[in-house]
Amino acid sequence: MSCLFCKIIDGSIPSNRIYEDEECIAFADIHPQAPAHLLVVPRRHIGSLAEVAGEDTPLLGHLLAKSAEIARQRGLTKGYRTVINTGADGGQTVDHLHLHLLGGRHMVWPPG
Ligand code: 5GP
Ligand code: ZN
């Protein structure tokens, strides 16, 4: 499997792992866009949000709930942003579903 995030999950590419369980892992983004910038990634390869199936609904809930838990643990009491980029127009550059968790600075809206 040539997928970058699958290699991070199997450990063949190193990462700064912050959290892991049976369903997902969270690690620091290599090019942080905020003081806290983590990627929350399902262990199972799913190309993007556009490729999820009905059976993935609990997994999506798990990714969101864990993101909130990680944000709490990291003391992001003033808030944070969760983002899923999907496809070319969405700005997705790694084709393995992932949720960005960004915090530690004030975010603007709309994003660029
Ligand atoms: P996307 O643009 O697909 O939503 O997000 C992909 C993210 O993966 C980017 O924020 C990028 O900085 C991050 N990224 C790309 N390659 C690596 C890597 O090798 N290690 C880590 N930790 N993050 C990466
Ligand atoms: Zn993958």
Side-chain angles (χ1 to χ4, degrees), residues 18-21 24 26 38 40 61-77 80 82 99 101:
I18 277 107
Y19 173 81
E20 59 186 305
D21 62 28
C24 70
L38 309 181
V40 184
H62 184 77
L63 298 177
L64 277 173
K66 284 299 159 191
S67 299
E69 199 175 304
I70 293 165
R72 264 194 302 277
Q73 282 168 358
R74 294 186 65 98
L76 300 176
T77 55
Y80 50 88
T82 48
L99 184 153
L101 170 61

Side-chain angles (χ1 to χ4, degrees), residues 14-52:
S15 69
N16 181 3
R17 226 172 256 225
I18 277 107
Y19 173 81
E20 59 186 305
D21 62 28
E22 285 182 2
E23 298 290 327
C24 70
I25 76 168
F27 52 91
D29 195 292
I30 204 166
H31 293 126
Q33 302 301 314
H37 186 176
L38 309 181
L39 301 171
V40 184
V41 182
R43 286 188 186 274
R44 181 159 58 85
H45 181 90
I46 301 171
S48 79
L49 188 63
E51 293 179 24
V52 299

Side-chain angles (χ1 to χ4, degrees), residues 4-5 8 13-16 27-33 37 39 84-86 90-96 98 100:
L4 175 66
F5 286 175
I8 286 178
I13 291 178
S15 69
N16 181 3
F27 52 91
D29 195 292
I30 204 166
H31 293 126
Q33 302 301 314
H37 186 176
L39 301 171
I84 299 176
N85 297 325
T86 303
Q92 183 175 5
T93 58
V94 177
D95 290 336
H96 181 132
H98 53 281
H100 295 258

Side-chain angles (χ1 to χ4, degrees), residues 34-35 78 81 103-109:
K78 291 171 74 180
R81 180 167 291 175
R105 68 167 170 83
H106 185 73
M107 305 287 162
V108 294
W109 190 262

